[in-house]
Amino acid sequence: MPGILALLAALAVASPIPVNVDGEVGDAAAVRAAMEEALTRVDALVRPLVSPAVLVHQLPGVRVRPAFALAGPQAAASTPGVTEVRPLAQVDARARTVIAHEAAHQFLWSTCPASSSDALFHEAFAVWASGEAPLWLEGDDYLSLPRARELLGKSSLDSRAARRALARLIVEEVGSPLAIA
């Protein structure tokens, strides 16, 4: 009986999307574990918000591979089914945050392919679902709601300013933001 319970527990927390990691990214096992953990966490976060019939994953898997052509401070980038990360010497807290952000994008592409055309929603979802929103607001001057809205209109969505603005709007909501729910 304990073997069956362990199997059921393992199935309950299995990643909702299979993950394959190229060895050239660094510690492939740690990257895979971080991506699977993030996908599982996002799934658990979203599942209570939607009908079970809606939450069907359509991506056959996610491949994590090394990226060598990312812009400046960009640590990772994703397209449906593929996440590219700068080669990692170790999977520390910062790397886990980056991986969680990209996992949120993969989750959304897998469960709602139509969202691909809505870059603002996609980025807001990734900032919220990854849990990184509070991190964007640490150590900087206060960012008002009107200023956050203004920054979103003027900044690339994949910029520090836009992520701070999204984070400011997201942390105003209690629980899940209404637009995301």
Side-chain angles (χ1 to χ4, degrees), residues 91-139:
V91 180
D92 57 9
R94 179 170 163 24
R96 285 184 187 286
T97 300
V98 167
I99 291 167
H101 182 94
E102 299 307 323
H105 282 299
Q106 294 297 344
F107 180 91
L108 194 53
W109 280 315
S110 184
T111 58
C112 186
S115 70
S116 296
S117 62
D118 189 343
L120 178 59
F121 177 74
H122 233 279
E123 198 58 35
F125 180 85
V127 168
W128 170 74
S130 68
E132 70 185 282
L135 300 174
W136 284 106
L137 300 175
E138 288 179 354

Side-chain angles (χ1 to χ4, degrees), residues 7-169:
L7 177 62
L8 290 174
L11 290 174
V13 296
S15 175
I17 308 169
V19 177
N20 182 14
V21 179
D22 291 4
E24 296 83 17
V25 299
D27 186 346
V31 171
R32 180 176 181 208
M35 179 65 87
E36 288 177 340
E37 178 183 310
L39 287 166
T40 302
R41 191 171 34 77
V42 173
D43 189 78
L45 189 63
V46 173
R47 195 163 289 282
L49 303 176
V50 299
S51 161
V54 172
L55 202 58
V56 176
H57 288 278
Q58 298 180 35
L59 287 178
V62 174
R63 177 180 175 209
V64 182
R65 66 183 185 201
F68 299 101
L70 294 175
Q74 193 176 11
S78 289
T79 55
V82 177
T83 293
E84 295 184 337
V85 297
R86 290 189 190 276
L88 302 165
Q90 65 180 21
V91 180
D92 57 9
R94 179 170 163 24
R96 285 184 187 286
T97 300
V98 167
I99 291 167
H101 182 94
E102 299 307 323
H105 282 299
Q106 294 297 344
F107 180 91
L108 194 53
W109 280 315
S110 184
T111 58
C112 186
S115 70
S116 296
S117 62
D118 189 343
L120 178 59
F121 177 74
H122 233 279
E123 198 58 35
F125 180 85
V127 168
W128 170 74
S130 68
E132 70 185 282
L135 300 174
W136 284 106
L137 300 175
E138 288 179 354
D140 288 312
D141 292 337
Y142 175 75
L143 179 62
S144 69
L145 287 174
R147 179 73 178 131
R149 288 187 193 103
E150 180 184 328
L151 283 171
L152 279 175
K154 295 180 178 179
S155 305
S156 160
L157 290 177
D158 201 15
S159 69
R160 184 183 192 315
R163 288 203 181 152
R164 277 195 77 225
L166 285 170
R168 177 66 173 98
L169 296 172

